[in-house]
Amino acid sequence: QVQLVESGGGLAQAGGSLRLSCTTSGLDFDDYAMGWFRQAPGKEREGIGCTAWSSNSPLRPSVKGRFTISRDSAKNAVYLQMNSLKPEDTAMYYCAASWRYCSGWTSGTGFDYWGQGTQVTVSS
C-alpha cells in the first residue's frame, strides 16, 4: 500500500520560513518523480515543482527564488523549503508521486499517489 504523508505545515508570519516534508512508503522511491502542489480555498490546484531521477521541473514563477524542492532517497522523502513566505502562499500543500517523470507537474495530471495535505497559513 502506497502512502505519502506530509508534515511541517503551520502558521508563519510573512517573511518567515517553513519546511514541509513528505515521507513515502510502499513504492520504489527512486522510480518516482515527486511533486509539490497547493490549493487555496476557492482556487484550483497548482503545481509548485517536481523532482525526478532524471531531471527537475522548473518552479512556478510565483515561488521561484523562495522555494526549493529536494529529495532524500535514503529516507524516501521529499522536502519543500519555503522562505520569504507571503500571505498568498496560504494553502493546503500536497505531495504526489508520478512514475518516473515530472510531466504534468503544473496540474497534477499523471500523479497517481497523493498525500493528505498539510495546511500552511501565512499571516501578514
Side-chain angles (χ1 to χ4, degrees):
Q1 181 182 0
V2 176
Q3 287 190 317
L4 282 66
V5 180
E6 302 94 337
S7 61
L11 178 64
Q13 290 188 336
S17 297
L18 285 173
R19 185 186 189 225
L20 305 186
S21 299
C22 171
T23 57
T24 71
S25 60
L27 52 74
D28 291 326
F29 184 74
D30 288 342
D31 286 336
Y32 281 83
M34 299 299 300
W36 281 100
F37 302 85
R38 66 186 182 185
Q39 187 167 20
K43 295 188 177 182
E44 292 189 354
R45 182 179 64 201
E46 58 186 27
I48 297 170
C50 176
T51 175
W53 66 279
S54 57
S55 63
N56 295 337
S57 76
L59 296 174
R60 70 178 298 107
S62 61
V63 306
K64 195 172 182 180
R66 301 189 296 122
F67 290 12
T68 304
I69 295 175
S70 61
R71 62 191 291 158
D72 185 337
S73 294
K75 296 182 178 180
N76 291 344
V78 61
Y79 306 98
L80 179 64
Q81 178 67 45
M82 305 187 294
N83 300 326
S84 303
L85 284 163
K86 302 177 180 181
E88 51 264 42
D89 294 320
T90 295
M92 185 72 80
Y93 283 70
Y94 301 90
C95 66
S98 171
W99 173 254
R100 291 282 178 142
Y101 303 107
C102 286
S103 55
W105 70 271
T106 58
S107 64
T109 301
F111 284 76
D112 297 317
Y113 304 108
W114 292 80
Q116 83 288 349
T118 186
Q119 178 68 38
V120 171
T121 302
V122 183
S123 62
S124 58

